[in-house]
Amino acid sequence: MRRFEDQVAIVTGGARGIGLGIARRLTQEGAQVVVWDLADVAPGQSDAPAAEMKVDVTDPASVEAATADVLSRFGRIDVFVNNAGINGPVADVEHYDLADWKRVIDIDLTAVFLCCRAVIPQMKAQSYGRIVNIASIAGKEGVPGIAAYASAKAGVIGLTKSLAKELIRTGILVNAVAPVMVETDLLQQMTPEHVTASKAKIPMGRLLQIEELAALVAFVASPENSFTTGVAYDASGGRGTY
């Protein structure tokens, strides 16, 4: 399929893990993909992105400059995937360090706001756009030990729904995807006990694979998704109940 022929897509946190998987899938389907990340995409990757930019998505000036750079080089922005994020430490709220809390909220929620705000004017001018925000099942259910992450992802879902209503007649659709734990290097930030407990909650009995999530994101970001906005798509292996 070439659903993204002649389209330009930006993927934040696209140098590795979920973001790289999404970037590769969109590239395979014809998109010119621009990766925003502070890290470099590993050399030798197949389906390499059209461009890589060093962007701090928590810094408004960095986001605005990168948006202008994409428009200068590619002329348009059709798809934006807010994927950059961290899990943060696993600790109960009474022991959670405030600096860690602020860092998780900045990267996982405020950066999504900043990036959406930056690309909306161009998408409005085109009368077309697809924004996909990577949320989490944790944002729907709450998970002990990762209150900052769960709170940020709940905020992403709320932002997605609010923004979708603001843009309802502009040709811009805004949706979220709420996955369970994905098998990536991010698991190294978590305790083995936390990973085991999370896996036990998934009725399918396994973790979500990057390729599976990328396939869902590709549909949500594509022109085929033409009448659904403000929704948090489920990717939970049967765990999600709403």
Side-chain angles (χ1 to χ4, degrees), residues 62-85:
S62 181
V63 170
E64 294 290 343
T67 302
D69 192 5
V70 172
L71 292 175
S72 174
R73 294 168 64 177
F74 296 94
R76 58 187 298 114
I77 300 170
D78 300 284
V79 174
F80 197 98
V81 181
N82 275 300
N83 166 76

Side-chain angles (χ1 to χ4, degrees), residues 14-180:
R16 60 172 61 89
I18 293 170
L20 179 58
I22 293 169
R24 293 180 65 182
R25 178 61 184 251
L26 297 180
T27 299
Q28 290 166 3
E29 292 202 34
Q32 295 184 84
V33 175
V34 182
V35 166
W36 286 4
D37 208 315
L38 292 175
D40 295 322
V41 176
Q45 292 285 338
S46 60
D47 305 307
E52 299 176 48
M53 296 180 180
K54 290 285 192 298
V55 184
D56 179 355
V57 291
T58 68
D59 178 7
S62 181
V63 170
E64 294 290 343
T67 302
D69 192 5
V70 172
L71 292 175
S72 174
R73 294 168 64 177
F74 296 94
R76 58 187 298 114
I77 300 170
D78 300 284
V79 174
F80 197 98
V81 181
N82 275 300
N83 166 76
I86 60 170
N87 187 76
V90 177
D92 290 345
V93 169
E94 64 177 313
H95 303 300
Y96 212 97
D97 184 76
L98 179 59
D100 290 329
W101 173 275
K102 289 182 176 179
R103 182 166 178 260
V104 173
I105 298 298
D106 278 349
I107 296 173
D108 291 359
L109 177 57
T110 304
V112 176
F113 158 75
L114 292 173
C115 290
C116 288
R117 187 179 66 171
V119 301
I120 286 169
Q122 176 61 30
M123 289 184 172
K124 276 187 171 180
Q126 300 167 179
S127 299
Y128 181 88
R130 297 289 184 270
I131 296 174
V132 184
N133 299 323
I134 305 301
S136 169
I137 192 72
K140 290 184 173 185
E141 297 183 354
V143 178
I146 54 169
Y149 179 81
S151 298
K153 293 304 186 178
V156 168
I157 293 171
L159 173 60
T160 298
K161 291 179 177 294
S162 299
L163 183 56
K165 289 178 170 64
E166 291 178 7
L167 300 174
I168 196 68
R169 296 195 177 183
T170 64
I172 306 168
L173 305 188
V174 188
N175 290 290
V177 174
V180 287

Side-chain angles (χ1 to χ4, degrees), residues 85-90 103 185-191 194-195:
I86 60 170
N87 187 76
V90 177
R103 182 166 178 260
D185 292 341
L186 193 66
L187 301 187
Q188 296 173 7
Q189 298 181 20
M190 308 173 195
T191 64
H194 178 72
V195 174

Side-chain angles (χ1 to χ4, degrees), residues 199-217:
K199 184 177 179 180
K201 294 177 183 178
I202 303 171
M204 284 191 180
R206 64 175 178 84
L207 301 181
L208 178 63
Q209 299 301 302
I210 291 173
E211 294 78 10
E212 293 172 317
L213 183 56
L216 176 58
V217 171

